[in-house]
Amino acid sequence: MKIDVLTLFPGMFAGPLDESIVQRARSSGVLDLRVHNLRDYTEDRHKTVDDRPFGGGPGMLLKPEPLFKAVQALAGQGTRVILLSPAGRLFSQGIARELAREEHLLFICGSYEGVDERARASLVHDELSIGDYVLTNGNLPAMVIIDAVTRLLPGVLGDESSSADESFSDGLLEYPHYTRPADFQGMKVPEVLLSGHHEAIAKWRLEQAKRRTAERRPDLLENKNQAG
Ligand code: 4HQ
């Protein structure tokens, strides 16, 4: 998969996407990730990317010209252009699965108050939000989505940690996990997990996952068939 990112702060992406599983996906060639500075697509002497809103009001907006130029340069036929915005569809595991099937994603990370409406309407296929709170820009949301999508790409996760166990408990919260020692300061690991009885273990885990979900996130049980 190819992912391009358009941002005013390319430095924010060094670190989170240079470590761990995402880095492995990149070195193995499964993910081709490129971060671009929107300022490189300006044509004026001052490299202006933002301006004040017509009609007044607080903050600044990303100007249309650099956005049009950048998207024209970076997007092709098979590109899905995504804008990060609190006004977007709420990102979910289902959307992560959808995006993992695309060949090319282009993320536009807005800053300040957002982007000029003409750029949004003409260039953007999909607006996504990572939650109902206000961040300083779209960089962290883009990184969150890239992370969630990358781990779904074929060959990125090993067999052990992969989707098999995830689909078994699809839409449920995780069951409780234990590692050694079997007795830590008198706190014991549930007997069934030490039994070697795989069927009983699977049954116990599913029950625990359902109980936790009912207690903590009953909304997940109600939406189970729609959301995924
Ligand atoms: N912002 N989910 C404002 C977000 C956000 C979110 C990104 C802040 C866009 C202009 N994006 N800028 N929450 O709060 O995606």
Side-chain angles (χ1 to χ4, degrees), residues 13 15 21 24 36 40 47 50 52 55 65 72 77 80 89 113 116 132 141 144-145 186 189 194 196 198-199 203 224:
F13 288 80
I21 291 167
R24 220 202 308 138
H36 311 266
D40 294 342
K47 299 187 186 295
D50 60 346
R52 296 179 329 219
E65 300 94 322
Q72 193 162 12
Q77 279 295 318
R80 185 143 159 194
R89 284 200 289 161
E113 298 310 306
D116 180 276
D132 292 337
V144 165
I145 294 171
V189 172
L194 312 174
H198 299 299
E199 235 169 76
K203 182 167 172 275
K224 202 155 153 42

Side-chain angles (χ1 to χ4, degrees), residues 3-10 13 33-42 49 62-75 79 81-84 104-111 115 119 123-124 137-139 142 146:
I3 299 182
D4 287 289
V5 177
L6 261 177
T7 173
L8 290 180
F9 307 104
F13 288 80
L33 176 74
R34 297 177 198 204
V35 181
H36 311 266
N37 194 332
L38 183 62
R39 218 168 276 285
D40 294 342
Y41 297 90
T42 55
V49 291
L62 293 184
K63 292 169 66 61
E65 300 94 322
L67 287 167
F68 271 80
K69 189 164 181 242
V71 172
Q72 193 162 12
L74 299 172
T79 306
V81 179
I82 298 168
L83 176 68
L84 292 315
H104 183 205
L105 304 177
L106 171 55
F107 289 95
I108 300 177
C109 305
S111 288
V115 311
L123 304 175
V124 172
N137 55 56
N139 292 287
I146 291 167

